[in-house]
Amino acid sequence: MTLPSGHPPVTPSQVGVLLVNLGTPDAPEPRAVRRYLKQFLSDRRVVEIPALLWQPILRGIILTTRPRKSAHAYAQVWTDAGSPLAAVTQAQAASLQTMLGPDIRVAHAMRYGEPAIGSALDVLMSAGCRRILVAPLYPQYCAATTATVVDAVGAHLATLRWQPTLRYLPPYHDDPAYIAALAASVRAQLATLDFAPDVLLASFHGMPERTLHLGDPYHCHCQKTARLLSETLGRPVEVAFQSRFGRAKWLEPATDARLEALGREGKSVAVVAPGFSADCLETLEELAIRGREQFIAAGGQKFAYLPCLNDSGDGMTMLENLVRRELSGWL
């Protein structure tokens, strides 16, 4: 294309893909954890208590006592590459970039922490991306995860004069590609164990029970994922919910209580976390370390945690298929 004399340079138009995960502190230190928790727990979709009641509790008790404890937990899973969640999400973006090729620009962002969603959108737009697929890496839809990504994108768009055209990756809790990737991963990992687990336990992140009654589909999505995984594997898959917080009634059964019960019953168990697209504090510390300790302390013997899809071959093939489908008509 020939531009008129004196016309400013024009960046060739591209299609962008933005992978978004929850977030992580910058370091396994109380100050960094406090900064992260303040942002995370101030989101009105994450904690639905009125701000006038919640903020004094958050700033007074929680941000005073919890960062040190959480920093200790993060330190147990921190790697040379930093936070597992950040490292895996970055690796997923790099792998997807290779798979999609140079005509598509891939970036990643964290809903809480860095790189921020707004900054990542600016990078894509600076590269000429006028059409962007935002891909929240949450298989099961939840207002406290998927919806808050949409909120953050919308808030940043409100600051822009020239806005890109957007699409969002829909929840993929029952997508055949996702179920097939999960099943292949579970089969492969079970084959490496020196025992055949009596129970395959699918642990999903918990939510207050009231969210179910208010119409959030998350609980139903988790149950359907587990049912489809069970049908594909040809074996029962139990469902439990982890990471309870506060005094409210949460979705049940609770993962920690179920692991203790299985330990007392002398059952062997393998735990998988289908709601997490990347291993993180909740899987590596809460399940693989504390979950194992709770199970053993209750009398259990054989325990295995099966890692998430992460940037594995099965996981990346699934993600590529989902993204290419949602980019249909743009390429």
Side-chain angles (χ1 to χ4, degrees), residues 22-82:
L22 186 75
T24 174
D26 299 325
E29 300 169 353
R31 186 174 180 179
V33 173
R34 183 177 296 109
R35 185 167 56 248
Y36 167 72
L37 288 178
K38 182 179 179 182
Q39 183 187 15
F40 174 46
L41 296 177
S42 292
D43 191 320
R44 297 292 297 276
R45 287 195 186 269
V46 174
V47 180
E48 297 183 278
I49 300 173
L52 285 176
L53 297 177
W54 173 243
Q55 282 299 320
I57 298 172
L58 174 63
R59 296 170 186 269
I61 300 173
I62 295 174
L63 294 182
T64 300
T65 61
R66 190 167 179 180
R68 186 170 298 278
K69 181 179 179 180
S70 294
H72 174 71
Y74 274 106
Q76 295 185 70
V77 301
W78 213 260
T79 71
D80 292 341

CSV table of all heavy atoms in Angstrom, one decimal, residues 22-82:
chain,number,residue,atom,x,y,z
A,22,LEU,N,-4.9,-15.9,37.0
A,22,LEU,CA,-5.3,-15.2,38.2
A,22,LEU,C,-4.2,-14.2,38.7
A,22,LEU,O,-4.5,-13.0,38.8
A,22,LEU,CB,-5.6,-16.2,39.3
A,22,LEU,CG,-6.2,-15.5,40.5
A,22,LEU,CD1,-7.6,-15.1,40.3
A,22,LEU,CD2,-6.1,-16.4,41.7
A,23,GLY,N,-3.0,-14.6,38.9
A,23,GLY,CA,-2.0,-13.7,39.4
A,23,GLY,C,-1.2,-14.3,40.5
A,23,GLY,O,-1.5,-15.4,41.0
A,24,THR,N,-0.2,-13.6,40.9
A,24,THR,CA,0.8,-14.1,41.9
A,24,THR,C,1.6,-12.9,42.5
A,24,THR,O,1.8,-11.9,41.8
A,24,THR,CB,1.7,-15.1,41.2
A,24,THR,OG1,2.8,-15.5,42.2
A,24,THR,CG2,2.4,-14.5,40.0
A,25,PRO,N,2.1,-13.0,43.7
A,25,PRO,CA,3.0,-12.0,44.2
A,25,PRO,C,4.3,-12.0,43.4
A,25,PRO,O,4.6,-13.0,42.7
A,25,PRO,CB,3.3,-12.5,45.6
A,25,PRO,CG,2.2,-13.4,46.0
A,25,PRO,CD,1.8,-14.1,44.7
A,26,ASP,N,5.0,-10.9,43.4
A,26,ASP,CA,6.3,-10.8,42.7
A,26,ASP,C,7.4,-11.6,43.4
A,26,ASP,O,8.4,-11.9,42.8
A,26,ASP,CB,6.7,-9.3,42.6
A,26,ASP,CG,5.7,-8.5,41.8
A,26,ASP,OD1,5.1,-9.0,40.9
A,26,ASP,OD2,5.5,-7.3,42.2
A,27,ALA,N,7.3,-11.8,44.7
A,27,ALA,CA,8.3,-12.5,45.4
A,27,ALA,C,7.6,-13.2,46.6
A,27,ALA,O,6.6,-12.8,47.1
A,27,ALA,CB,9.4,-11.6,45.9
A,28,PRO,N,8.3,-14.3,47.2
A,28,PRO,CA,7.7,-15.0,48.3
A,28,PRO,C,8.0,-14.3,49.6
A,28,PRO,O,8.6,-14.9,50.6
A,28,PRO,CB,8.4,-16.4,48.2
A,28,PRO,CG,9.7,-16.1,47.6
A,28,PRO,CD,9.5,-15.0,46.7
A,29,GLU,N,7.7,-13.0,49.7
A,29,GLU,CA,8.0,-12.2,50.8
A,29,GLU,C,6.8,-11.5,51.3
A,29,GLU,O,5.9,-11.1,50.5
A,29,GLU,CB,9.1,-11.1,50.4
A,29,GLU,CG,10.4,-11.8,49.9
A,29,GLU,CD,11.3,-10.7,49.3
A,29,GLU,OE1,10.9,-9.6,49.2
A,29,GLU,OE2,12.4,-11.1,49.0
A,30,PRO,N,6.6,-11.2,52.6
A,30,PRO,CA,5.4,-10.6,53.1
A,30,PRO,C,5.0,-9.3,52.5
A,30,PRO,O,3.8,-9.1,52.2
A,30,PRO,CB,5.7,-10.4,54.6
A,30,PRO,CG,6.7,-11.5,54.9
A,30,PRO,CD,7.6,-11.6,53.7
A,31,ARG,N,5.9,-8.5,52.2
A,31,ARG,CA,5.6,-7.2,51.5
A,31,ARG,C,4.9,-7.4,50.2
A,31,ARG,O,3.9,-6.8,49.8
A,31,ARG,CB,6.8,-6.3,51.4
A,31,ARG,CG,6.5,-4.9,50.9
A,31,ARG,CD,7.8,-4.0,51.0
A,31,ARG,NE,7.5,-2.7,50.5
A,31,ARG,CZ,8.4,-1.7,50.4
A,31,ARG,NH1,9.6,-2.0,50.9
A,31,ARG,NH2,8.1,-0.5,50.0
A,32,ALA,N,5.5,-8.3,49.4
A,32,ALA,CA,5.0,-8.6,48.0
A,32,ALA,C,3.6,-9.3,48.1
A,32,ALA,O,2.7,-9.0,47.4
A,32,ALA,CB,6.0,-9.4,47.2
A,33,VAL,N,3.5,-10.2,49.1
A,33,VAL,CA,2.3,-10.9,49.2
A,33,VAL,C,1.2,-9.9,49.7
A,33,VAL,O,0.0,-10.0,49.3
A,33,VAL,CB,2.4,-12.1,50.2
A,33,VAL,CG1,1.1,-12.7,50.6
A,33,VAL,CG2,3.4,-13.1,49.7
A,34,ARG,N,1.5,-9.0,50.6
A,34,ARG,CA,0.5,-8.0,51.1
A,34,ARG,C,0.0,-7.2,49.9
A,34,ARG,O,-1.2,-7.0,49.8
A,34,ARG,CB,1.2,-7.1,52.1
A,34,ARG,CG,0.2,-6.1,52.7
A,34,ARG,CD,0.8,-5.3,53.8
A,34,ARG,NE,1.2,-6.2,55.0
A,34,ARG,CZ,2.5,-6.5,55.3
A,34,ARG,NH1,3.5,-6.0,54.5
A,34,ARG,NH2,2.8,-7.2,56.3
A,35,ARG,N,0.9,-6.8,49.0
A,35,ARG,CA,0.5,-6.0,47.9
A,35,ARG,C,-0.4,-6.8,47.0
A,35,ARG,O,-1.5,-6.2,46.5
A,35,ARG,CB,1.7,-5.5,47.1
A,35,ARG,CG,1.5,-4.6,46.0
A,35,ARG,CD,2.8,-3.9,45.5
A,35,ARG,NE,3.8,-4.9,45.1
A,35,ARG,CZ,4.9,-5.1,45.8
A,35,ARG,NH1,5.2,-4.4,46.9
A,35,ARG,NH2,5.8,-6.0,45.4
A,36,TYR,N,-0.1,-8.0,46.8
A,36,TYR,CA,-0.9,-8.9,45.9
A,36,TYR,C,-2.3,-9.1,46.6
A,36,TYR,O,-3.4,-9.0,45.9
A,36,TYR,CB,-0.2,-10.2,45.7
A,36,TYR,CG,-1.1,-11.3,45.1
A,36,TYR,CD1,-1.5,-11.2,43.8
A,36,TYR,CD2,-1.5,-12.4,45.9
A,36,TYR,CE1,-2.3,-12.2,43.2
A,36,TYR,CE2,-2.3,-13.3,45.3
A,36,TYR,CZ,-2.7,-13.3,44.0
A,36,TYR,OH,-3.5,-14.3,43.5
A,37,LEU,N,-2.3,-9.5,47.8
A,37,LEU,CA,-3.6,-9.8,48.5
A,37,LEU,C,-4.5,-8.5,48.6
A,37,LEU,O,-5.7,-8.7,48.5
A,37,LEU,CB,-3.3,-10.3,49.9
A,37,LEU,CG,-2.7,-11.7,50.0
A,37,LEU,CD1,-2.5,-12.1,51.5
A,37,LEU,CD2,-3.7,-12.7,49.4
A,38,LYS,N,-3.9,-7.4,48.8
A,38,LYS,CA,-4.7,-6.2,48.8
A,38,LYS,C,-5.5,-6.0,47.5
A,38,LYS,O,-6.7,-5.6,47.5
A,38,LYS,CB,-3.8,-5.0,49.1
A,38,LYS,CG,-4.6,-3.6,49.2
A,38,LYS,CD,-3.7,-2.5,49.5
A,38,LYS,CE,-4.4,-1.2,49.6
A,38,LYS,NZ,-3.6,0.0,49.9
A,39,GLN,N,-4.8,-6.2,46.4
A,39,GLN,CA,-5.5,-6.0,45.1
A,39,GLN,C,-6.5,-7.1,44.9
A,39,GLN,O,-7.6,-6.8,44.5
A,39,GLN,CB,-4.4,-6.0,44.0
A,39,GLN,CG,-5.1,-5.8,42.6
A,39,GLN,CD,-4.1,-6.0,41.4
A,39,GLN,OE1,-3.0,-6.5,41.6
A,39,GLN,NE2,-4.5,-5.5,40.3
A,40,PHE,N,-6.1,-8.3,45.2
A,40,PHE,CA,-7.0,-9.5,44.9
A,40,PHE,C,-8.2,-9.4,45.8
A,40,PHE,O,-9.4,-9.6,45.3
A,40,PHE,CB,-6.2,-10.8,45.2
A,40,PHE,CG,-6.9,-12.1,45.1
A,40,PHE,CD1,-7.8,-12.3,44.1
A,40,PHE,CD2,-6.8,-13.0,46.1
A,40,PHE,CE1,-8.5,-13.5,44.0
A,40,PHE,CE2,-7.5,-14.2,46.1
A,40,PHE,CZ,-8.4,-14.4,45.0
A,41,LEU,N,-8.1,-9.2,47.1
A,41,LEU,CA,-9.2,-9.3,48.0
A,41,LEU,C,-10.0,-8.0,48.1
A,41,LEU,O,-11.0,-7.9,48.8
A,41,LEU,CB,-8.7,-9.7,49.4
A,41,LEU,CG,-8.0,-11.1,49.5
A,41,LEU,CD1,-7.5,-11.3,50.9
A,41,LEU,CD2,-9.0,-12.1,49.1
A,42,SER,N,-9.6,-7.0,47.3
A,42,SER,CA,-10.4,-5.8,47.2
A,42,SER,C,-11.3,-5.8,46.0
A,42,SER,O,-12.2,-4.9,45.8
A,42,SER,CB,-9.4,-4.5,47.0
A,42,SER,OG,-8.7,-4.3,48.2
A,43,ASP,N,-11.2,-6.9,45.2
A,43,ASP,CA,-12.1,-7.0,44.0
A,43,ASP,C,-13.5,-7.4,44.5
A,43,ASP,O,-13.7,-8.4,45.3
A,43,ASP,CB,-11.6,-8.1,43.1
A,43,ASP,CG,-12.3,-8.2,41.8
A,43,ASP,OD1,-13.5,-8.0,41.7
A,43,ASP,OD2,-11.6,-8.4,40.7
A,44,ARG,N,-14.5,-6.6,44.2
A,44,ARG,CA,-15.8,-6.8,44.7
A,44,ARG,C,-16.5,-8.1,44.2
A,44,ARG,O,-17.4,-8.6,44.8
A,44,ARG,CB,-16.7,-5.6,44.3
A,44,ARG,CG,-16.3,-4.3,44.9
A,44,ARG,CD,-16.5,-4.3,46.4
A,44,ARG,NE,-17.9,-4.4,46.8
A,44,ARG,CZ,-18.7,-3.4,46.8
A,44,ARG,NH1,-18.3,-2.2,46.6
A,44,ARG,NH2,-20.0,-3.6,47.2
A,45,ARG,N,-15.9,-8.7,43.1
A,45,ARG,CA,-16.4,-10.0,42.7
A,45,ARG,C,-15.8,-11.1,43.5
A,45,ARG,O,-16.4,-12.2,43.6
A,45,ARG,CB,-16.2,-10.2,41.2
A,45,ARG,CG,-17.1,-9.3,40.3
A,45,ARG,CD,-17.0,-9.9,38.9
A,45,ARG,NE,-17.7,-9.1,37.9
A,45,ARG,CZ,-19.0,-9.2,37.5
A,45,ARG,NH1,-19.7,-10.2,38.1
A,45,ARG,NH2,-19.5,-8.5,36.6
A,46,VAL,N,-14.6,-10.9,44.0
A,46,VAL,CA,-13.9,-11.9,44.8
A,46,VAL,C,-14.5,-12.0,46.2
A,46,VAL,O,-14.8,-13.1,46.7
A,46,VAL,CB,-12.4,-11.7,44.8
A,46,VAL,CG1,-11.7,-12.7,45.8
A,46,VAL,CG2,-11.8,-11.8,43.4
A,47,VAL,N,-14.7,-10.9,46.8
A,47,VAL,CA,-15.3,-10.8,48.1
A,47,VAL,C,-16.5,-9.9,48.0
A,47,VAL,O,-16.4,-8.7,47.8
A,47,VAL,CB,-14.3,-10.2,49.2
A,47,VAL,CG1,-15.0,-10.2,50.6
A,47,VAL,CG2,-13.1,-11.1,49.3
A,48,GLU,N,-17.7,-10.5,48.2
A,48,GLU,CA,-18.9,-9.7,47.9
A,48,GLU,C,-19.5,-9.1,49.2
A,48,GLU,O,-20.7,-8.7,49.2
A,48,GLU,CB,-19.9,-10.7,47.2
A,48,GLU,CG,-19.5,-11.2,45.9
A,48,GLU,CD,-20.5,-12.0,45.2
A,48,GLU,OE1,-20.6,-13.2,45.5
A,48,GLU,OE2,-21.2,-11.5,44.3
A,49,ILE,N,-18.7,-9.0,50.2
A,49,ILE,CA,-19.2,-8.2,51.4
A,49,ILE,C,-19.1,-6.7,51.1
A,49,ILE,O,-18.1,-6.3,50.4
A,49,ILE,CB,-18.2,-8.6,52.6
A,49,ILE,CG1,-18.3,-10.1,52.9
A,49,ILE,CG2,-18.6,-7.8,53.8
A,49,ILE,CD1,-17.3,-10.5,53.9
A,50,PRO,N,-20.1,-5.9,51.5
A,50,PRO,CA,-20.0,-4.5,51.3
A,50,PRO,C,-18.7,-3.9,51.7
A,50,PRO,O,-18.1,-4.3,52.8
A,50,PRO,CB,-21.2,-4.0,52.1
A,50,PRO,CG,-22.1,-5.1,52.2
A,50,PRO,CD,-21.3,-6.3,52.2
A,51,ALA,N,-18.1,-3.0,50.9
A,51,ALA,CA,-16.8,-2.5,51.2
A,51,ALA,C,-16.7,-1.8,52.5
A,51,ALA,O,-15.6,-1.9,53.2
A,51,ALA,CB,-16.4,-1.5,50.1
A,52,LEU,N,-17.7,-1.1,53.0
A,52,LEU,CA,-17.7,-0.5,54.3
A,52,LEU,C,-17.4,-1.5,55.5
A,52,LEU,O,-16.8,-1.1,56.5
A,52,LEU,CB,-18.9,0.3,54.6
A,52,LEU,CG,-19.1,1.6,53.8
A,52,LEU,CD1,-20.5,2.2,54.0
A,52,LEU,CD2,-18.0,2.6,54.2
A,53,LEU,N,-17.9,-2.7,55.3
A,53,LEU,CA,-17.7,-3.7,56.3
A,53,LEU,C,-16.4,-4.5,56.0
A,53,LEU,O,-15.6,-4.8,57.0
A,53,LEU,CB,-18.8,-4.7,56.3
A,53,LEU,CG,-20.2,-4.2,56.6
A,53,LEU,CD1,-21.3,-5.3,56.5
A,53,LEU,CD2,-20.2,-3.6,58.1
A,54,TRP,N,-16.1,-4.7,54.8
A,54,TRP,CA,-14.9,-5.6,54.4
A,54,TRP,C,-13.6,-4.9,54.5
A,54,TRP,O,-12.6,-5.5,55.0
A,54,TRP,CB,-15.1,-6.2,53.0
A,54,TRP,CG,-13.9,-6.9,52.5
A,54,TRP,CD1,-13.2,-6.6,51.4
A,54,TRP,CD2,-13.4,-8.1,53.1
A,54,TRP,NE1,-12.2,-7.5,51.3
A,54,TRP,CE2,-12.3,-8.5,52.3
A,54,TRP,CE3,-13.7,-8.9,54.2
A,54,TRP,CZ2,-11.5,-9.6,52.5
A,54,TRP,CZ3,-12.9,-10.0,54.4
A,54,TRP,CH2,-11.8,-10.4,53.6
A,55,GLN,N,-13.5,-3.7,54.0
A,55,GLN,CA,-12.2,-3.0,54.0
A,55,GLN,C,-11.5,-2.9,55.3
A,55,GLN,O,-10.3,-3.1,55.4
A,55,GLN,CB,-12.3,-1.7,53.3
A,55,GLN,CG,-12.4,-1.8,51.7
A,55,GLN,CD,-11.2,-2.4,51.1
A,55,GLN,OE1,-10.0,-2.2,51.5
A,55,GLN,NE2,-11.4,-3.2,50.1
A,56,PRO,N,-12.2,-2.5,56.4
A,56,PRO,CA,-11.5,-2.5,57.7
A,56,PRO,C,-11.0,-3.8,58.1
A,56,PRO,O,-9.9,-3.9,58.7
A,56,PRO,CB,-12.7,-2.0,58.7
A,56,PRO,CG,-13.6,-1.2,57.8
A,56,PRO,CD,-13.6,-1.9,56.5
A,57,ILE,N,-11.7,-4.9,57.8
A,57,ILE,CA,-11.3,-6.3,58.1
A,57,ILE,C,-10.0,-6.6,57.3
A,57,ILE,O,-9.0,-7.1,57.8
A,57,ILE,CB,-12.4,-7.3,57.9
A,57,ILE,CG1,-13.6,-7.0,58.8
A,57,ILE,CG2,-11.9,-8.7,58.1
A,57,ILE,CD1,-14.8,-7.9,58.5
A,58,LEU,N,-10.1,-6.3,56.0
A,58,LEU,CA,-9.0,-6.6,55.1
A,58,LEU,C,-7.7,-5.8,55.5
A,58,LEU,O,-6.7,-6.4,55.7
A,58,LEU,CB,-9.4,-6.2,53.7
A,58,LEU,CG,-8.3,-6.3,52.6
A,58,LEU,CD1,-7.8,-7.8,52.5
A,58,LEU,CD2,-8.7,-5.8,51.3
A,59,ARG,N,-7.9,-4.5,55.7
A,59,ARG,CA,-6.7,-3.7,56.0
A,59,ARG,C,-6.2,-3.9,57.5
A,59,ARG,O,-5.0,-3.6,57.8
A,59,ARG,CB,-7.0,-2.2,55.7
A,59,ARG,CG,-7.3,-2.0,54.3
A,59,ARG,CD,-7.8,-0.6,54.0
A,59,ARG,NE,-8.2,-0.4,52.6
A,59,ARG,CZ,-7.4,0.1,51.7
A,59,ARG,NH1,-6.2,0.5,52.0
A,59,ARG,NH2,-7.9,0.3,50.5
A,60,GLY,N,-7.1,-4.3,58.4
A,60,GLY,CA,-6.7,-4.4,59.8
A,60,GLY,C,-6.2,-5.8,60.1
A,60,GLY,O,-5.0,-5.9,60.5
A,61,ILE,N,-7.0,-6.8,60.0
A,61,ILE,CA,-6.6,-8.1,60.4
A,61,ILE,C,-5.9,-8.9,59.3
A,61,ILE,O,-4.8,-9.4,59.5
A,61,ILE,CB,-7.9,-8.9,60.9
A,61,ILE,CG1,-8.6,-8.2,62.0
A,61,ILE,CG2,-7.5,-10.3,61.3
A,61,ILE,CD1,-9.9,-8.8,62.4
A,62,ILE,N,-6.5,-9.0,58.1
A,62,ILE,CA,-6.0,-9.9,57.1
A,62,ILE,C,-4.7,-9.5,56.6
A,62,ILE,O,-3.7,-10.3,56.5
A,62,ILE,CB,-7.0,-10.1,56.0
A,62,ILE,CG1,-8.3,-10.8,56.5
A,62,ILE,CG2,-6.4,-10.9,54.8
A,62,ILE,CD1,-9.4,-10.8,55.5
A,63,LEU,N,-4.5,-8.2,56.2
A,63,LEU,CA,-3.3,-7.8,55.6
A,63,LEU,C,-2.2,-7.6,56.7
A,63,LEU,O,-1.0,-7.3,56.3
A,63,LEU,CB,-3.5,-6.4,54.9
A,63,LEU,CG,-4.3,-6.6,53.6
A,63,LEU,CD1,-4.5,-5.2,52.9
A,63,LEU,CD2,-3.8,-7.6,52.6
A,64,THR,N,-2.5,-7.7,57.9
A,64,THR,CA,-1.5,-7.7,59.0
A,64,THR,C,-1.0,-9.1,59.3
A,64,THR,O,0.2,-9.2,59.6
A,64,THR,CB,-2.2,-7.1,60.3
A,64,THR,OG1,-2.6,-5.8,60.0
A,64,THR,CG2,-1.1,-7.0,61.4
A,65,THR,N,-1.9,-10.1,59.3
A,65,THR,CA,-1.5,-11.4,59.7
A,65,THR,C,-1.2,-12.4,58.6
A,65,THR,O,-0.3,-13.3,58.7
A,65,THR,CB,-2.6,-12.0,60.6
A,65,THR,OG1,-3.8,-12.1,59.9
A,65,THR,CG2,-2.8,-11.1,61.8
A,66,ARG,N,-2.0,-12.3,57.5
A,66,ARG,CA,-1.9,-13.4,56.5
A,66,ARG,C,-0.7,-13.3,55.6
A,66,ARG,O,-0.2,-14.4,55.1
A,66,ARG,CB,-3.2,-13.3,55.6
A,66,ARG,CG,-3.3,-14.5,54.7
A,66,ARG,CD,-4.7,-14.7,54.1
A,66,ARG,NE,-4.8,-15.8,53.2
A,66,ARG,CZ,-5.8,-16.2,52.6
A,66,ARG,NH1,-7.0,-15.5,52.7
A,66,ARG,NH2,-5.8,-17.3,51.8
A,67,PRO,N,-0.1,-12.1,55.2
A,67,PRO,CA,1.0,-12.1,54.3
A,67,PRO,C,2.2,-12.9,54.7
A,67,PRO,O,2.8,-13.6,53.9
A,67,PRO,CB,1.3,-10.6,54.2
A,67,PRO,CG,0.0,-9.9,54.4
A,67,PRO,CD,-0.6,-10.8,55.5
A,68,ARG,N,2.5,-12.9,56.0
A,68,ARG,CA,3.7,-13.7,56.5
A,68,ARG,C,3.4,-15.2,56.3
A,68,ARG,O,4.3,-15.9,55.8
A,68,ARG,CB,4.0,-13.4,57.9
A,68,ARG,CG,5.3,-14.0,58.5
A,68,ARG,CD,5.6,-13.4,59.8
A,68,ARG,NE,5.9,-12.0,59.7
A,68,ARG,CZ,7.0,-11.5,59.3
A,68,ARG,NH1,8.0,-12.3,59.0
A,68,ARG,NH2,7.2,-10.2,59.3
A,69,LYS,N,2.2,-15.6,56.7
A,69,LYS,CA,1.9,-17.1,56.5
A,69,LYS,C,1.9,-17.5,55.0
A,69,LYS,O,2.4,-18.5,54.7
A,69,LYS,CB,0.5,-17.3,57.2
A,69,LYS,CG,0.1,-18.8,57.1
A,69,LYS,CD,-1.2,-19.0,57.8
A,69,LYS,CE,-1.7,-20.4,57.7
A,69,LYS,NZ,-3.0,-20.6,58.3
A,70,SER,N,1.3,-16.6,54.2
A,70,SER,CA,1.2,-16.9,52.8
A,70,SER,C,2.6,-16.9,52.1
A,70,SER,O,2.9,-17.7,51.2
A,70,SER,CB,0.3,-16.0,52.1
A,70,SER,OG,-1.1,-16.1,52.5
A,71,ALA,N,3.4,-16.0,52.6
A,71,ALA,CA,4.8,-15.9,52.0
A,71,ALA,C,5.6,-17.2,52.3
A,71,ALA,O,6.3,-17.7,51.5
A,71,ALA,CB,5.5,-14.7,52.6
A,72,HIS,N,5.4,-17.7,53.5
A,72,HIS,CA,6.0,-19.0,53.8
A,72,HIS,C,5.5,-20.1,52.9
A,72,HIS,O,6.3,-20.9,52.4
A,72,HIS,CB,5.7,-19.4,55.3
A,72,HIS,CG,6.2,-20.7,55.7
A,72,HIS,ND1,7.5,-21.0,55.8
A,72,HIS,CD2,5.5,-21.9,55.9
A,72,HIS,CE1,7.7,-22.3,56.2
A,72,HIS,NE2,6.5,-22.9,56.2
A,73,ALA,N,4.2,-20.1,52.6
A,73,ALA,CA,3.7,-21.1,51.7
A,73,ALA,C,4.3,-20.9,50.3
A,73,ALA,O,4.7,-21.9,49.6
A,73,ALA,CB,2.2,-21.0,51.7
A,74,TYR,N,4.3,-19.7,49.8
A,74,TYR,CA,4.9,-19.4,48.5
A,74,TYR,C,6.4,-19.9,48.4
A,74,TYR,O,6.8,-20.4,47.4
A,74,TYR,CB,4.8,-18.0,48.1
A,74,TYR,CG,3.5,-17.6,47.5
A,74,TYR,CD1,2.5,-16.8,48.2
A,74,TYR,CD2,3.1,-17.9,46.2
A,74,TYR,CE1,1.3,-16.5,47.7
A,74,TYR,CE2,1.9,-17.6,45.6
A,74,TYR,CZ,1.0,-16.9,46.4
A,74,TYR,OH,-0.2,-16.5,45.8
A,75,ALA,N,7.1,-19.6,49.5
A,75,ALA,CA,8.5,-20.0,49.5
A,75,ALA,C,8.7,-21.5,49.3
A,75,ALA,O,9.8,-21.9,48.7
A,75,ALA,CB,9.2,-19.6,50.8
A,76,GLN,N,7.8,-22.3,49.7
A,76,GLN,CA,7.9,-23.8,49.5
A,76,GLN,C,7.8,-24.2,48.1
A,76,GLN,O,8.2,-25.3,47.8
A,76,GLN,CB,6.9,-24.5,50.4
A,76,GLN,CG,7.1,-24.2,51.9
A,76,GLN,CD,6.1,-25.1,52.7
A,76,GLN,OE1,6.2,-26.3,52.8
A,76,GLN,NE2,5.1,-24.4,53.3
A,77,VAL,N,7.2,-23.4,47.2
A,77,VAL,CA,7.0,-23.8,45.8
A,77,VAL,C,7.7,-22.9,44.8
A,77,VAL,O,7.6,-23.1,43.6
A,77,VAL,CB,5.5,-23.9,45.5
A,77,VAL,CG1,4.8,-24.9,46.4
A,77,VAL,CG2,4.8,-22.5,45.6
A,78,TRP,N,8.3,-21.8,45.3
A,78,TRP,CA,9.0,-20.9,44.4
A,78,TRP,C,10.1,-21.6,43.7
A,78,TRP,O,10.8,-22.5,44.3
A,78,TRP,CB,9.5,-19.7,45.2
A,78,TRP,CG,9.5,-18.4,44.5
A,78,TRP,CD1,10.5,-17.8,43.9
A,78,TRP,CD2,8.4,-17.5,44.3
A,78,TRP,NE1,10.1,-16.6,43.3
A,78,TRP,CE2,8.8,-16.4,43.6
A,78,TRP,CE3,7.0,-17.6,44.7
A,78,TRP,CZ2,8.0,-15.4,43.2
A,78,TRP,CZ3,6.2,-16.6,44.4
A,78,TRP,CH2,6.7,-15.5,43.6
A,79,THR,N,10.4,-21.2,42.5
A,79,THR,CA,11.4,-21.9,41.7
A,79,THR,C,12.4,-20.8,41.2
A,79,THR,O,12.3,-19.6,41.4
A,79,THR,CB,10.8,-22.5,40.4
A,79,THR,OG1,10.3,-21.5,39.5
A,79,THR,CG2,9.6,-23.4,40.8
A,80,ASP,N,13.5,-21.3,40.6
A,80,ASP,CA,14.5,-20.4,40.0
A,80,ASP,C,13.8,-19.5,39.0
A,80,ASP,O,14.3,-18.3,38.7
A,80,ASP,CB,15.6,-21.2,39.3
A,80,ASP,CG,16.4,-21.9,40.4
A,80,ASP,OD1,16.4,-21.5,41.6
A,80,ASP,OD2,17.1,-22.9,40.0
A,81,ALA,N,12.8,-19.9,38.3
A,81,ALA,CA,12.0,-19.1,37.3
A,81,ALA,C,11.0,-18.2,38.0
A,81,ALA,O,10.3,-17.4,37.3
A,81,ALA,CB,11.4,-20.0,36.3
A,82,GLY,N,10.9,-18.2,39.3
A,82,GLY,CA,9.9,-17.4,40.1
A,82,GLY,C,8.7,-18.2,40.4
A,82,GLY,O,8.7,-19.4,40.7
